[in-house]
């Protein structure tokens, strides 16, 4: 429960900040051009019976704007006078046009008002990335320094990879660290450079490996090879009961050779599949009873042990930072801005490039709602990860809002560009119908994404 609350708090703080600043972008340009803003709300405030839905509201003296916080934390809104938006206030549009309304302003001013939110979110992400680099620097382990090499699954081995290969780069460039960018480069590469048994060599790749399939595969297409050497043993664990110690190496489990911690966890995954098929307590106990072969110095020993109900032996291995020495590149204040812009642009380019997978069956299944987004935050409060996730969500919010879907900023931008080119406004009837269609699309996407979360939680996906 504590983990859930910590993640929820981080999620709510990040989303609240991003929505507030996004709507603030619309608000700024509206006020700049003399357009009246009737309501500025964090979260939505649909009325319930006699309650107007506001948790808090305040209207300064001599102000046209009511500020408030709604009860439904699905976003926020800035209600701009004389504009067809998600409020569907058609009565206002029937009144004579006023000089302080959105519809009375030139198209270029209306365009800036509509892109204000996206602009703020994008600039905010670049600023956060810059400040992360300034405060923490860029700490990572170069892939070429991972001297134990990588562990590959069956599909990867069909392309010629072998366990222990040290990845160097592709025809797209040298790998930096082990991240989604490495998978992305491998999926698009026609050549990969590596070191095998101390000798440089290259493999030919097709250039169109399915990235989503690579990321979802179990075991993973590629992952850093971690030695099956015990770093510490949990107290009162099955490992402690058979006398395992720091420095011992797991050699086999249930007569299956283990060449790495990766292989050990793969074997536990097989046991998990067997556990789901167990029908009786005796069947479960049989699955949990394992034979472990371990090496201490030059000697090997064998022990029978009953794993925990979660099929854990109860030991830790060294983290990647414990195996390899991370390097940190530090940035001065002024240096951090071009570096942050480059970092943010690469994040955006990768996200946009991956959007093509959304329109596949597997891509639709991979959509996630609020639960999936919340789970991206760390289980313990970490300001570095919080700000990194906030910047990432800010880029997503900017990109999603600029998509040319009615009811999103991008839909309004599309119609405004049409107006600027043709010098003809779309009719109000068309705009209202388009808003309904766009709103329906958004609701459908939200339902699908959050239903996927529920199905994953229930174990059906």
């Amino acid at each position: 429960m504590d983990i859930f609350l910590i993640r929820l708090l981080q999620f709510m703080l990040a989303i609240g900040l991003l929505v507030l600043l996004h709507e603030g972008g619309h608000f700024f340009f509206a006020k700049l051009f003399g357009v009246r803003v009737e309501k500025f709300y964090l979260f939505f405030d649909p009325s319930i019976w006699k309650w107007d839905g506001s948790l808090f509201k305040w209207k300064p003296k001599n102000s046209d704007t009511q500020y408030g916080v709604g009860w439904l934390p699905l976003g926020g809104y800035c209600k701009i006078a004389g504009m067809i938006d998600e409020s569907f206030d058609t009565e206002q549009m029937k009144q004579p046009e006023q000089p302080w309304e959105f519809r009375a302003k030139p198209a270029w001013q209306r365009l800036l008002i509509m892109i204000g939110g996206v602009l703020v979110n994008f600039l905010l992400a670049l600023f956060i990335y810059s400040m992360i680099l300034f405060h923490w620097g860029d700490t990572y382990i170069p892939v070429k320094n991972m001297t134990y090499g990588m562990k590959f699954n069956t599909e990867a081995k069909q392309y010629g990879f072998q366990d222990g290969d040290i990845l160097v780069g592709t025809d797209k460039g040298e790998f930096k660290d082990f991240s989604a960018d490495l998978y992305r480069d491998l999926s698009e590469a026609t050549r990969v450079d590596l070191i095998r048994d101390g000798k440089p060599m290259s493999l030919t790749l097709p250039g169109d490996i399915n990235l989503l399939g690579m990321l979802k595969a179990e075991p993973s297409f590629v992952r850093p090879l971690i030695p099956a050497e015990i770093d510490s043993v949990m107290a009162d664990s099955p490992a402690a009961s058979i006398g395992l110690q720091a420095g011992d190496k797991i050699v086999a489990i249930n007569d299956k050779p283990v060449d790495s911690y990766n292989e050990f966890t793969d074997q536990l995954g097989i046991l998990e599949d067997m556990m789901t098929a167990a029908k009786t307590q005796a069947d479960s106990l049989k699955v949990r009873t394992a034979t472990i072969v371990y090496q201490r110095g030059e000697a090997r020993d064998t022990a029978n042990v009953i794993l925990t109900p979660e099929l854990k032996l109860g030991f830790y291995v060294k983290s990647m930072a414990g195996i390899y020495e991370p390097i940190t590149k530090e940035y001065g204040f002024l240096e951090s801005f071009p570096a942050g812009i480059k970092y943010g642009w690469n994040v955006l380019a990768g996200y946009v490039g991956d959007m093509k997978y959304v329109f596949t069956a597997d891509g639709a299944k991979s959509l996630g709602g609020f639960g999936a987004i919340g789970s991206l935050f760390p289980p313990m409060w970490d300001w570095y990860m919080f700000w990194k996730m906030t910047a990432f969500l800010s880029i997503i919010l900017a990109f999603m809002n600029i998509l040319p879907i009615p009811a999103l900023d991008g839909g309004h931008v599309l119609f405004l560009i049409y107006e600027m080119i043709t010098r003809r406004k779309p009719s109000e009837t068309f705009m209202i119908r388009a808003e309904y269609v766009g709103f329906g699309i958004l609701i459908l996407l939200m339902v699908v994404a959050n239903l996927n979360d529920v199905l994953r939680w229930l174990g059906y996906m």
Side-chain angles (χ1 to χ4, degrees):
M1 181 59 72
D2 289 342
I3 291 175
F4 172 78
L5 290 176
I6 289 172
R7 281 180 166 153
L8 177 63
L9 182 60
Q10 292 179 89
F11 173 72
M12 294 297 292
L13 181 59
I15 292 298
L17 175 66
L18 296 180
V19 169
L20 194 65
L21 292 175
H22 176 92
E23 299 304 332
H26 296 307
F27 183 89
F28 170 79
F29 282 105
K31 288 295 187 180
L32 181 66
F33 299 130
V35 176
R36 183 175 295 177
V37 178
E38 297 176 348
K39 295 180 77 173
F40 184 91
Y41 263 64
L42 175 64
F43 306 149
F44 294 116
D45 61 333
S47 58
I48 301 177
W49 196 36
K50 295 182 179 180
W51 179 41
D52 67 359
S54 300
L55 297 176
F56 163 81
K57 60 182 178 180
W58 173 61
K59 188 173 184 179
K61 188 176 181 181
N62 300 323
S63 173
D64 298 315
T65 308
Q66 176 180 291
Y67 302 88
V69 178
W71 65 270
L72 187 61
L74 298 181
Y77 69 98
C78 181
K79 189 175 186 304
I80 298 173
M83 174 183 169
I84 298 172
D85 58 12
E86 61 271 18
S87 67
F88 298 108
D89 186 0
T90 57
E91 290 301 316
Q92 185 183 68
M93 304 303 292
K94 296 176 182 177
Q95 305 302 317
E97 185 178 285
Q98 302 296 326
W100 38 260
E101 288 186 326
F102 177 83
R103 56 181 167 168
K105 300 299 178 180
W108 69 270
Q109 291 186 3
R110 284 180 280 136
L111 180 64
L112 285 174
I113 292 171
M114 291 317 307
I115 67 173
V118 168
L119 182 63
V120 166
N121 279 135
F122 185 61
L123 293 178
L124 174 66
L126 299 182
F127 177 75
I128 292 175
Y129 281 132
S130 299
M131 291 301 95
I132 287 174
L133 293 175
F134 171 64
H135 188 271
W136 285 284
D138 187 11
T139 300
Y140 62 96
I141 300 169
V143 176
K144 65 181 181 181
N145 291 355
M146 296 181 181
T147 51
Y148 284 108
M150 298 287 158
K151 185 78 174 175
F152 300 91
N153 69 5
T154 302
E155 180 191 0
K157 289 177 180 177
Q158 291 175 353
Y159 293 111
F161 291 105
Q162 293 183 13
D163 291 339
D165 285 348
I166 301 172
L167 297 179
V168 176
T170 68
D171 50 306
K172 298 172 68 67
E174 185 176 291
F175 294 125
K176 179 189 173 187
D177 56 0
F178 190 85
S179 64
D181 287 338
L182 181 142
Y183 279 87
R184 192 173 291 113
D185 286 351
L186 284 175
S187 72
E188 299 172 354
T190 56
R191 188 197 76 243
V192 59
D193 302 320
L194 51 88
I195 297 174
R196 179 178 296 169
D197 299 326
K199 299 177 182 179
M201 63 173 294
S202 298
L203 297 176
T204 300
L205 296 178
D208 59 352
I209 303 175
N210 184 285
L211 176 61
L212 191 60
M214 294 172 71
L215 293 170
K216 293 181 67 175
E218 288 293 342
S220 301
F221 185 91
V222 57
R223 49 204 163 135
L225 192 150
I226 300 174
E229 181 175 335
I230 297 173
D231 184 56
S232 61
V233 177
M234 300 179 194
D236 302 319
S237 65
S241 70
I242 59 175
L244 290 179
Q245 302 174 9
D248 291 348
K249 295 180 180 178
I250 305 298
V251 176
I253 176 172
N254 294 340
D255 297 325
K256 301 291 184 182
V258 170
D259 62 2
S260 62
Y261 182 66
N262 313 72
E263 185 64 32
F264 177 75
T265 56
D266 290 347
Q267 292 301 322
L268 292 183
I270 293 173
L271 294 181
E272 288 178 3
D273 293 338
M274 295 171 62
M275 183 67 86
T276 58
K279 299 185 181 300
T280 65
Q281 187 173 358
D283 292 338
S284 299
L285 183 61
K286 185 176 179 180
V287 173
R288 289 172 54 200
T289 303
T291 302
I292 303 294
V293 180
Y294 63 94
Q295 183 169 325
R296 181 175 298 166
E298 298 298 323
R300 289 193 177 189
D301 204 351
T302 302
N304 293 320
V305 64
I306 297 177
L307 304 175
T308 68
E310 296 80 24
L311 297 175
K312 303 296 183 184
L313 186 53
F315 69 88
Y316 297 104
V317 295
K318 288 183 179 179
S319 65
M320 292 296 294
I323 298 173
Y324 305 112
E325 177 113 21
I327 66 171
T328 299
K329 184 174 181 180
E330 297 183 349
Y331 294 88
F333 183 73
L334 295 179
E335 290 177 310
S336 68
F337 287 99
I341 291 171
K342 180 180 178 182
Y343 189 99
W345 185 258
N346 288 339
V347 171
L348 176 62
Y351 183 76
V352 172
D354 296 343
M355 282 297 291
K356 61 186 177 184
Y357 294 104
V358 172
F359 304 102
T360 66
D362 285 340
K365 292 178 182 178
S366 69
L367 286 175
F370 299 115
I373 296 172
S375 67
L376 296 176
F377 288 92
M380 299 184 69
W381 196 279
D382 183 328
W383 280 112
Y384 171 78
M385 288 304 301
F386 170 79
W387 286 116
K388 199 169 184 179
M389 273 303 306
T390 301
F392 178 62
L393 292 177
S394 192
I395 280 184
I396 292 177
L397 188 60
F399 176 72
M400 295 301 292
N401 266 283
I402 205 62
L403 291 176
I405 299 174
L408 290 177
D409 297 342
H412 291 281
V413 168
L414 179 66
F415 296 136
L416 281 167
I417 292 174
Y418 166 82
E419 178 185 339
M420 294 171 75
I421 294 173
T422 64
R423 301 193 180 278
R424 288 185 300 173
K425 279 187 179 183
S427 70
E428 291 181 2
T429 301
F430 171 81
M431 292 294 290
I432 291 171
R433 289 175 178 173
E435 195 77 13
Y436 275 114
V437 170
F439 199 72
I441 292 172
L442 295 180
I443 292 295
L444 178 61
L445 287 173
M446 188 177 295
V447 169
V448 170
N450 286 283
L451 180 61
N452 284 350
D453 284 351
V454 173
L455 293 176
R456 275 190 286 268
W457 181 66
L458 294 174
Y460 290 107
M461 290 182 63

